[in-house]
Amino acid sequence: MSLSTQFLGHTYANPLMNASGVHCMSVEELQELDRSSAGAFITKSATPAEREGNPEPRYYPVALGSINSMGLPNRGFDYYLDYVLNRESKGDGRVFFSVAGMSLADNLAMLHRLQDSDYTGVTELNLSCPNVPGKPQVGYDFEQTQQILTEVFQFYKKPLGVKLPPYFDMVHFDTIAGILNRFPLAYVNCINSVGNALYIDTDLEQVVVKPKNGFGGIGGQYVKPTALANVRAFYVRLNPEIKVIGTGGITTGRDAFEHLLCGATMLQIGTQLCKDGTPVFDRVASELQQIMDSKGYKSIDEFRGKLQSIE
Ligand code: RRO
């Protein structure tokens, strides 16, 4: 296999990861990811204290994807910090840590703890959870995004990426990229789910998730074109030191190939991991390898970011 990928000083067997939130709530699930063929993996977004999340049903798989309104259920910051610190002795940098405070103060408190801990890995700051009632997605508030990053980078010196919501307007791509370029970010992760959509069971004439009258985040095949557009838009606008992680609609090796062509370095799988479990990584990796072999590519670096426009 030649899917080897360099990212932030580590070399991973392949670019594949879980998307935060999927298959990473408990130590048991994280250990299963650790044993899988995923190049790296990430914890469920943590809040300072454990949260139950929204009432069920809160996740609903459909043919072309999924809708979720989980509401940030997680075991609390200390649970995941203990896990990553215990695992760190492996020294391979395969585990990333996700934080999603519900206030600036929560985020700063968790990042201070990580800064002061022995954790040396990558941290992802989730600025885009769509599902906590009354809490807007930070990434859509450009001033707040700038304020958070300004405060964080006053003290945070370890590798930090941000998980972004999808943007849908060229002016928004320009504006948010302009803000992100002012900070020593390790990466941006595009995209979180497409927030506040509605899926309807026509037989029942009813929504399929309970929270927020059925409004939830869409993932899976529905969102791939939006995800690719966001990966591409940030890849061409960000300083080259800021890498892009591609998330959204990766179901097959072909989807993975397209994300890489748009400029992604690592790739995250959410909905399809939920459907297939960890064997998804073997399948997507071997499908990606087949496409590369058929095109004569020996490494991902030969085609990453090289999407062509029509002259
Ligand atoms: O837990 C969730 O409801 C959730 C989160 Br934190 C997120 O970032 N994205 C998403 O689709 N669901």
Side-chain angles (χ1 to χ4, degrees), residues 44-45 68-73 100 126 128-131 163 192-193 217:
K44 169 69 186 172
S45 292
N68 89 84
S69 184
M70 304 297 289
L72 208 32
N126 183 351
S128 46
C129 175
N131 297 331
K163 178 85 170 265
N192 208 318
S193 57

Side-chain angles (χ1 to χ4, degrees), residues 51-73:
R51 278 175 59 84
E52 268 192 27
N54 291 338
E56 296 183 342
R58 59 189 187 181
Y59 184 91
Y60 192 85
V62 295
L64 294 177
S66 62
I67 183 166
N68 89 84
S69 184
M70 304 297 289
L72 208 32

Side-chain angles (χ1 to χ4, degrees), residues 19-22 44-45 58-59 65-72 124 126-132 137 139-140 163-168 189-197 212 215-224 226-227 230 246-249 268 270-271:
S20 179
V22 180
K44 169 69 186 172
S45 292
R58 59 189 187 181
Y59 184 91
S66 62
I67 183 166
N68 89 84
S69 184
M70 304 297 289
L72 208 32
E124 180 166 292
N126 183 351
L127 299 179
S128 46
C129 175
N131 297 331
V132 178
Q137 291 162 86
Y140 287 139
K163 178 85 170 265
L164 297 175
Y167 299 95
F168 301 93
N189 185 345
C190 307
I191 56 174
N192 208 318
S193 57
V194 173
N196 296 302
K212 294 174 69 177
F215 284 65
I218 300 288
Q221 292 176 59
Y222 289 117
V223 311
K224 187 179 75 171
T226 296
N230 276 259
T247 306
Q268 295 187 348
T271 298

Side-chain angles (χ1 to χ4, degrees), residues 30-45:
L30 288 161
Q31 285 171 336
E32 208 184 319
L33 287 172
D34 199 351
R35 289 191 300 270
S36 80
S37 60
F41 59 102
I42 184 165
T43 57
K44 169 69 186 172
S45 292

